[in-house]
Amino acid sequence: MTDTPKRLKRLLREHAGEAHEEELRRALVPVAEAFKRWEHGELGSGDLSDIIHRFHQRPARELFVRYNTPPLEMAVAYAITIGVLHRQTIPAQLLDHLSRALAFYESEQATS
């Protein structure tokens, strides 16, 4: 995987960014709901602060590392396998490049 052509590297970065954005959006839904509860006076400021802190300490950091740390092949394959990225939107050349990583995650899914 060290001799990855520039075109594939670009595609990996693009799709990793897309997956990061989607997973981050999903992870932020409970935080957004907490803000709504806070706005309506149903949640205290301290509780909201705790929710924000927990989000930053766990999901936000994990997602940042997953999608911003090379090599990106495993992150993109994971995103495809769990449905964050739709396989039909991934160029065939990139799917070929990811075949081993996809097979790994698909076998993990089959055993769990």
Side-chain angles (χ1 to χ4, degrees):
M1 289 190 198
T2 56
D3 295 333
T4 306
K6 286 183 181 181
R7 172 175 159 59
L8 289 178
K9 286 181 183 179
R10 181 182 55 79
L11 287 170
L12 281 167
R13 284 191 306 273
E14 287 175 11
H15 289 287
E18 183 182 330
H20 183 209
E21 178 65 25
E22 177 57 20
E23 281 209 66
L24 198 54
R25 185 194 65 74
R26 292 176 185 185
L28 278 166
V29 168
V31 178
E33 290 170 357
F35 266 98
K36 288 176 188 170
R37 291 178 34 228
W38 172 75
E39 286 175 340
H40 292 103
E42 300 166 5
L43 186 68
S45 297
D47 292 330
L48 178 62
S49 179
D50 287 343
I51 290 167
I52 294 166
H53 179 73
R54 282 193 307 267
F55 170 79
H56 176 70
Q57 291 301 99
R58 186 84 188 217
R61 286 177 189 247
E62 289 174 1
L63 291 171
F64 180 84
V65 169
R66 178 182 303 150
Y67 291 111
N68 291 285
T69 306
L72 297 176
E73 284 83 355
M74 294 305 284
V76 173
Y78 176 76
I80 293 168
T81 305
I82 65 167
V84 170
L85 294 176
H86 301 287
R87 190 180 293 262
Q88 63 271 21
T89 66
I90 308 297
Q93 185 181 18
L94 184 55
L95 286 173
D96 289 344
H97 179 72
L98 295 173
S99 62
R100 289 175 49 190
L102 287 166
F104 170 78
Y105 285 119
E106 288 164 354
S107 71
E108 288 289 310
Q109 267 190 340
T111 60
S112 52

